[in-house]
Amino acid sequence: MDAVATSPSSAWMGRHHSAADRLRAAWSRRRTLRFLGYGLLGGYALFVLTWLFFAAGLPSSEKLLAYQPPLPSNIRGVDGQPVGTFARERRVELSYDEYPSMVIEAFISAEDKTFFSHGGIDYPGLVGAVGDFALKSATGGARARGGSTITQQVAKALLQDDEYAISRKIREAILAFRLENTLTKEQILELYLNQIFLGRNAYGVQAASRAYFDKDVADLTLPEAAYLAILPKAPSNYDPVRQTQRALDRRNYVLREMVNNGYITPAQQAEAGSSPLGTIRLGTNAKFREVGGYFTEEVRRELLRRYGEDAGDSANSVYAGGLWVRTSMNPLMQDAAAEALREGLARFDGGRGWRDTGLSIEIDGDWRGRLDRAPLGTGFPDWRKAVVLEKTGGSARIGFTDGSEGRLAAGNATMPRRGGGGTAFSNLKNGMIIIVKQIAGEDYAIRSIPEIGGGFVAQEVRTGRVLAMQGGFDSIGASYNRATQAQRQPGSTFKPIVYYTALANGMTPATLIDDAPFCVWQGAGLGNKCFRNFDANYAGPKTLRWGVEQSRNLMTVRAASQTGMAKVTDTAKRLGVGDYPNYLSIALGAGDTTVLKLTNAYAILANHGRAVAPTLIDFVQDRDGKVIFRTDNRCAVMEGRCNAPDWDGGAMPRPPSRSRQLLEPQAAFQMVHVMTGVIERGTATTLRDLNRPLFGKTGTTTGPTNVWFVGGTPDVVAGTYIGYDQPRSMGGAAQGGRIAAPIFKQWAQAAFKDVPPTPFVAPKGIRMVRIDRVTGRRVFGTFPVREDPKSAVIWEAFQPESEPRRTLRRAGEEAELAAAAAAAPRTAPRRRAPPPPRPDAVKPAEPAATPPEDFLARQGGIY
C-alpha cells in the first residue's frame, strides 16, 4: 500500500496543539502556581493603589528642591547692629560646608550611622519598630520605639505631622524615598541640621549652639557637639539642669559610638567623657541686647501689613520669611528716650503710694516658668519681677525667674497702698507678683509701676526718619503705644500752627496783639464764650513773639480770629495733625492728635516747610539679601542713572528731592525763630543750659489732664506728653514746662552729648532786623547782647517788605494825640481821627536812669 503524504501546516498544527495541551494540563495540575500569579498581580495593584493614596498631597520633587525652612526676621538699627528679632522658631540657616565635620559625625553617630549608605529607609530598624508598635498596640503599653533614619526625620519635619499611626509612617517612608531621589546626601543632611528642634526654642544646630553654649557651631568642643547630638529624640529628657546625669550618660554613649565609627580616638573619648556638660543657664544666651520694644513692635505691625504673618501669607512673611530689616532707630537715642520717659513717669508718680500689679501665680511646682511668662515689664534694668513665696513676721521670701531667691523686709515696703489701707508689706500675699530693686546682697526694696502713662518720639528733620520711640513705661504686657495710638489734646503745643498761619497771612513777629478779654457769640443755643489766660491776668498789647514765649491764650484766639479759623484748621490738616472744625477752642489745642503727628508737624516747620512723613523702616531685604522695599525710593525714578556702571560724560546725577514744599518757607522759619524765644525767655527756660540752638513749645491742657513739650534742634525734633490713659486731672501744679520739658532735657543731654551745635539757617529772602523786644519797634545804633537772653534788643526775622519802618516821631506824641481825642466833647463835630498807631510807632518804655548802652533801646532812639 502506498504511504499517505502529510502537509507541513498540518504537522505544525499538530505540534502546537500538543504543546498547548501539555501547558493546560500543567496549569490545571499546578493550581498553586496560578494562585501565586494572581497574588503577585493583586499585590502589585495594591502597592500601586496604596502608594497613590498616601502619596497624594506630598511635596513634589520641584517643591523639595525649592524648600526653605522657616527663618525669623532680624531687626537692625540705623547703625546696622541687631536690635531685635521676630521669631516663633529660633533658627539660623547654615550651608552644609559651614558645619564642622565633628558636629556632623556626632549627629550621624547618634542618629543614623548608615546614613551615607542606605536609600532612605533602615529596613532592619523599620522591621523592629513595626514589631514593637504591634506589640505595644496589642498590650496597650507605652509608645513604640522609633526606627527613623535622618532622611525620615527630615520627611517628618516637612510633613509637620506627629500622628502616632501607621499611615503617618507610610507617608514618611514615601517622602523619604522621594527625598533620596531628588536631593544629595549633603543636601538632606543640611536640611536636617537646620530644621530639627533641640529644645529652648532652638531649631537647628546653630541656634541650639547659641542657646546651650552661647557660641557658634564652629567653636563647639567635642563634648559640646556630642551633647547637642543627643537632643533630637526628646530635648526635655536630657535637660542639663533637671536631667544632668541622664544627659551625661547619653552624651558619653554618643562618644563611644564615634569611636566605633572611627571618628575619634579612645583618648579623645576619655578626655571628652570626663568633662561636665558646660551649658549656660536658660535665658542668658542673648547674642545682642534687644532695645526699643515699642519701636520694634511698631515695625512688626508695619511688616505684618506688608508681608503677612506666616509662610501661607507670602514668601517674605514676618515669622518665616527670614527678612533683614534696617530701621531708622538710633540705639543711643532710643535708650535715652526710654530712660528719660520712665524716670519722668516714676518721678511724677513716686509720691502717690504703692500699686498692686494685679498679677499672681501658683507657687507649687514650676513657679519659675509661670513667673517668667507673667506679662509684666519692669522698665528699669535694675528693677526685677518677683513672686512672694512665703511671708513670715517682718519679712517675705521672694523668688525670681532664674530660680534664685531674696528677702523683702517690712521696712523696705512701707509705702502706703494706693486706693486702700495699710502699707505695701501688709498687703502682700503668697503668690503675688511684685516689682523689687536690690539694695544690698539678698535684700530688696519694693517698687511700683507708675499708673500715669506717656509717649516720646524723636524724628530727623530733613527725612522724617523716626530715631526713637517710647510708648509707655514698658512694652512687656502693655502693647498700647501711646506715641502712635493715644489721641490727646495738645494744648498750647498747637499754638505754633495758629501763629504760623498768622505769619503766612500778613502778621509779623513784631505785630502787636491785645492780651485782653476776648469773648465770642456762639449762637442762641450756646451763648457767649469767653476765653481766659492760664493765670487769669491780662497784659495789654504785646508782640506776637511775646505771646508765643509766654503762651498767652487770649492773644492766640485773637490771632486765630483775625487770621480766620478756616485757615488755621487747613494748616493743621496739611501738616497731618488733624482734621478739625472751625472752632476757636481748637486754636488752644482742644482737638485730639498723637505725639507722633505733632512731632512730625514741628519737623516740617524746622525743615522750612518742606513735607516729611514719619518712617521707621529704611529698607527690607529677603533671606537672600535682595532689597524688596526701600523707603527712600528716589533712585528708582532716575531710570538707572543712580547706579550707572560707568560715567556717561554728563553731570553727576542728583536724586530728586524726597519732599514737596508744604508751607511758606519764610513763615515757617519765622515760627521756628520765634519758638527759640520759648527756650531763652519763655515757658521752657529749663532747657537753656543745654547750650545749643533749640526751639520748642510747652503745652498744658485743661484740667490739667496732659502736659507736653515738642521741640528740638535744626536736625532732630522730639516730642513728649504725660497723662493718664483715662484722662483725669494731674493736679494743679502740673505744667508742660515743669514735667514734660525736663524729660526732653534728660533725653537731649544723652542724645546730643557728642553732637556739635548747629545754628538754624534762614531760607532765602528772610531779613534779620534789630527790634526792641518789648515794643517790636525797629532799633538803630545798638546791637543785641547775645549773652543776655533778656536783652532789650534782639534780632527778629521778617519777610521782605514786612519789617518795621524808620520813623522820627518821638516818644509821647501818640499819647498826646490820644489824650486830646479823649478830652474832646462827644457832641463836637466829627473830625477826621488820626490814623491808628502802627505797630512800629507804639510808645516805648518811659525814660529812666539806665546804663548808656541801653539808651537807644530804652529812650526811643531812632526807630
Side-chain angles (χ1 to χ4, degrees):
M1 179 183 294
D2 295 336
V4 179
T6 305
S7 68
S9 60
S10 299
W12 182 87
M13 290 295 294
R15 289 194 301 271
H16 175 73
H17 287 299
S18 176
D21 291 341
R22 287 195 300 271
L23 184 60
R24 280 194 295 270
W27 181 262
S28 62
R29 288 193 304 266
R30 300 181 183 180
R31 293 189 176 183
T32 304
L33 183 61
R34 182 175 58 183
F35 289 142
L36 181 60
Y38 289 148
L40 289 174
L41 183 60
Y44 178 75
L46 179 62
F47 173 79
V48 171
L49 291 175
T50 302
W51 181 281
L52 293 175
F53 176 78
F54 286 104
L58 293 180
S60 64
S61 298
E62 291 76 11
K63 288 186 177 180
L64 292 176
L65 285 171
Y67 174 75
Q68 293 178 318
L71 292 179
S73 293
N74 296 276
I75 312 303
R76 297 181 180 272
V78 69
D79 56 357
Q81 295 300 311
V83 297
T85 59
F86 302 139
R88 293 198 177 102
E89 299 179 1
R90 299 286 179 185
R91 178 182 283 110
V92 179
E93 189 176 24
L94 300 181
S95 67
Y96 178 82
D97 295 334
E98 292 178 287
Y99 284 102
S101 58
M102 177 183 64
V103 172
I104 294 173
E105 292 161 358
F107 275 88
I108 288 177
S109 299
E111 291 293 309
D112 187 2
K113 63 183 179 182
T114 63
F115 170 73
F116 283 103
S117 59
H118 64 62
I121 303 294
D122 178 13
Y123 294 102
L126 180 61
V127 171
V130 171
D132 191 40
F133 175 82
L135 179 62
K136 296 290 177 62
S137 300
T139 60
R143 190 181 181 103
R145 66 180 176 89
S148 298
T149 63
I150 284 179
T151 309
Q152 287 176 280
Q153 293 182 53
V154 173
K156 179 181 177 181
L158 294 176
L159 290 174
Q160 296 183 346
D161 182 7
D162 198 31
E163 182 185 6
Y164 185 54
I166 291 292
S167 59
R168 194 262 297 173
K169 296 296 291 184
I170 294 174
R171 288 166 57 84
E172 184 181 295
I174 294 173
L175 187 55
F177 281 123
R178 189 169 292 177
L179 281 168
E180 291 282 347
N181 292 328
T182 304
L183 307 177
T184 65
K185 287 288 187 180
E186 289 76 12
Q187 288 174 317
I188 295 173
L189 196 55
E190 179 184 308
L191 279 176
Y192 175 74
L193 296 174
N194 286 330
Q195 185 81 16
I196 51 174
F197 175 64
L198 298 174
R200 294 190 175 184
N201 197 31
Y203 291 78
V205 181
Q206 169 62 22
S209 180
R210 277 288 169 189
Y212 288 96
F213 300 107
D214 196 22
K215 57 176 64 174
D216 295 324
V217 291
D219 301 322
L220 290 174
T221 63
L222 175 59
E224 291 169 347
Y227 172 74
L228 294 181
I230 72 175
L231 297 175
K233 294 295 185 186
S236 60
N237 290 344
Y238 305 109
D239 183 89
V241 177
R242 297 192 303 270
Q243 303 286 349
T244 306
Q245 189 57 48
R246 190 175 184 180
L248 284 169
D249 294 341
R250 181 66 179 175
R251 182 200 67 180
N252 293 340
Y253 161 77
V254 173
L255 292 172
R256 290 193 300 272
E257 288 296 306
M258 293 181 73
V259 172
N260 296 335
N261 295 333
Y263 296 137
I264 60 175
T265 65
Q268 290 175 307
Q269 175 203 353
E271 181 182 358
S274 63
S275 63
L277 291 177
T279 58
I280 63 173
R281 181 170 53 86
L282 176 63
T284 62
N285 63 306
K287 189 174 181 180
F288 56 86
R289 180 179 59 88
E290 296 199 7
V291 297
Y294 286 102
F295 192 109
T296 54
E297 172 60 17
E298 200 66 24
V299 170
R300 187 185 74 91
R301 291 171 179 169
E302 183 171 344
L303 292 174
L304 287 175
R305 289 192 293 268
R306 287 184 177 275
Y307 304 112
E309 185 172 357
D310 298 311
D313 298 322
S314 75
N316 297 313
S317 63
V318 173
Y319 289 103
L323 301 176
W324 294 89
V325 184
R326 177 70 67 90
T327 71
S328 57
M329 180 203 297
N330 183 311
L332 172 65
M333 292 187 178
Q334 178 62 43
D335 284 342
E339 183 176 358
L341 183 60
R342 285 169 182 160
E343 290 197 5
L345 297 175
R347 188 165 51 243
F348 179 86
D349 201 72
R352 289 167 170 76
W354 173 75
R355 289 179 64 236
D356 181 7
T357 63
L359 299 174
S360 61
I361 59 173
E362 295 291 335
I363 55 177
D364 297 331
D366 184 23
W367 57 264
R368 302 170 188 81
R370 299 188 192 104
L371 177 62
D372 185 56
R373 292 188 294 272
L376 180 65
T378 61
F380 295 109
D382 57 350
W383 287 17
R384 300 183 68 182
K385 180 170 58 174
V387 60
V388 179
L389 298 175
E390 183 181 13
K391 179 183 174 184
T392 56
S395 66
R397 184 167 58 91
I398 56 178
F400 301 100
T401 55
D402 61 359
S404 62
E405 297 182 4
R407 188 175 74 95
L408 176 63
N412 293 326
T414 58
M415 288 188 293
R417 178 174 181 174
R418 192 180 310 183
T423 64
F425 186 82
S426 66
N427 283 276
L428 296 183
K429 298 178 182 179
N430 291 350
M432 182 181 291
I433 297 178
I434 59 176
I435 302 295
V436 296
K437 178 181 179 180
Q438 187 176 24
I439 54 176
E442 294 185 353
D443 289 328
Y444 290 80
I446 201 164
R447 291 293 182 263
S448 180
I449 300 296
E451 181 182 8
I452 198 163
F456 187 102
V457 171
Q459 184 175 340
E460 195 172 59
V461 168
R462 289 171 180 81
T463 63
R465 300 160 76 216
V466 176
L467 304 174
M469 176 184 291
Q470 185 70 12
F473 189 77
D474 197 297
S475 61
I476 298 177
S479 60
Y480 179 56
N481 190 342
R482 295 164 186 84
T484 61
Q485 295 175 299
Q487 295 285 338
R488 294 302 180 119
Q489 292 182 348
S492 295
T493 50
F494 185 84
K495 290 177 181 177
I497 297 175
V498 176
Y499 286 112
Y500 158 78
T501 309
L503 291 169
N505 286 275
M507 289 191 182
T508 75
T511 298
L512 292 179
I513 304 174
D514 198 8
D515 184 26
F518 185 85
C519 299
V520 61
W521 177 254
Q522 301 181 101
L526 298 176
N528 216 32
K529 167 68 176 177
C530 292
F531 297 89
R532 60 185 295 274
N533 286 323
F534 183 82
D535 59 3
N537 293 323
Y538 315 109
K542 294 289 183 179
T543 63
L544 181 150
R545 168 178 284 279
W546 187 87
V548 174
E549 293 176 353
Q550 303 304 317
S551 196
R552 306 299 284 181
N553 291 345
L554 292 172
M555 295 178 68
T556 305
V557 294
R558 188 168 267 109
S561 178
Q562 293 177 7
T563 304
M565 273 306 299
K567 295 179 180 179
V568 173
T569 56
D570 178 67
T571 300
K573 185 176 182 179
R574 279 188 289 148
L575 288 171
V577 176
D579 190 359
Y580 305 121
N582 299 326
Y583 300 146
L584 278 176
S585 59
I586 297 297
L588 300 181
D592 291 340
T593 190
T594 67
V595 67
L596 178 64
K597 292 178 180 179
L598 195 58
T599 302
N600 187 68
Y602 276 59
I604 294 174
L605 289 172
N607 197 31
H608 293 173
R610 295 199 69 86
V612 293
T615 61
L616 283 75
I617 297 174
D618 286 349
F619 60 86
V620 180
Q621 297 169 278
D622 64 15
R623 66 169 69 207
D624 298 320
K626 179 183 177 182
V627 176
I628 58 176
F629 169 76
R630 188 184 295 276
T631 298
D632 182 0
N633 205 33
R634 291 179 292 172
C635 285
V637 300
M638 294 182 62
E639 299 180 354
R641 297 187 67 229
C642 188
N643 295 312
D646 198 1
W647 182 45
D648 59 2
M652 178 182 292
R654 298 188 180 277
S657 173
R658 293 179 62 177
S659 59
R660 59 188 177 89
Q661 194 68 48
L662 188 68
L663 304 179
E664 296 278 348
Q666 295 173 350
F669 175 79
Q670 283 181 297
M671 192 64 251
V672 170
H673 189 253
V674 167
M675 282 193 282
T676 61
V678 176
I679 312 298
E680 294 295 324
R681 296 169 292 273
T683 57
T685 53
T686 184
L687 305 178
R688 194 164 58 206
D689 58 5
L690 289 173
N691 296 321
R692 64 176 58 244
L694 290 170
F695 80 106
K697 185 70 185 73
T698 59
T700 306
T701 60
T702 303
T705 56
N706 302 289
V707 292
W708 290 71
F709 177 81
V710 185
T713 70
D715 303 310
V716 178
V717 171
T720 184
Y721 92 91
I722 290 183
Y724 291 103
D725 290 342
Q726 297 297 325
R728 68 175 191 265
S729 175
M730 298 173 61
Q735 293 183 31
R738 296 177 181 175
I739 299 175
I743 293 175
F744 173 89
K745 182 177 183 179
Q746 181 179 342
W747 171 80
Q749 286 172 334
F752 299 144
K753 180 180 179 181
D754 299 320
V755 179
T758 55
F760 290 96
V761 178
K764 184 178 180 179
I766 283 290
R767 300 186 180 185
M768 302 302 295
V769 177
R770 289 167 288 165
I771 67 167
D772 186 298
R773 182 173 59 84
V774 176
T775 65
R777 299 174 68 178
R778 190 166 184 172
V779 174
F780 298 88
T782 189
F783 288 87
V785 180
R786 294 184 181 276
E787 294 76 14
D788 181 11
K790 294 187 178 181
S791 172
V793 178
I794 63 172
W795 289 105
E796 191 61 273
F798 291 91
Q799 299 181 45
E801 305 300 325
S802 68
E803 67 271 21
R805 299 298 183 185
R806 178 193 297 264
T807 177
L808 296 179
R809 179 176 291 174
R810 297 295 301 170
E813 293 182 12
E814 291 86 355
E816 293 174 3
L817 290 173
R826 295 191 178 186
T827 57
R830 295 189 60 184
R831 299 180 181 180
R832 177 176 294 180
R838 301 193 312 273
D840 58 349
V842 176
K843 178 181 177 181
E846 291 296 328
T850 57
E853 60 269 18
D854 289 340
F855 177 79
L856 289 174
R858 296 296 185 188
Q859 302 297 327
I862 303 176
Y863 289 90

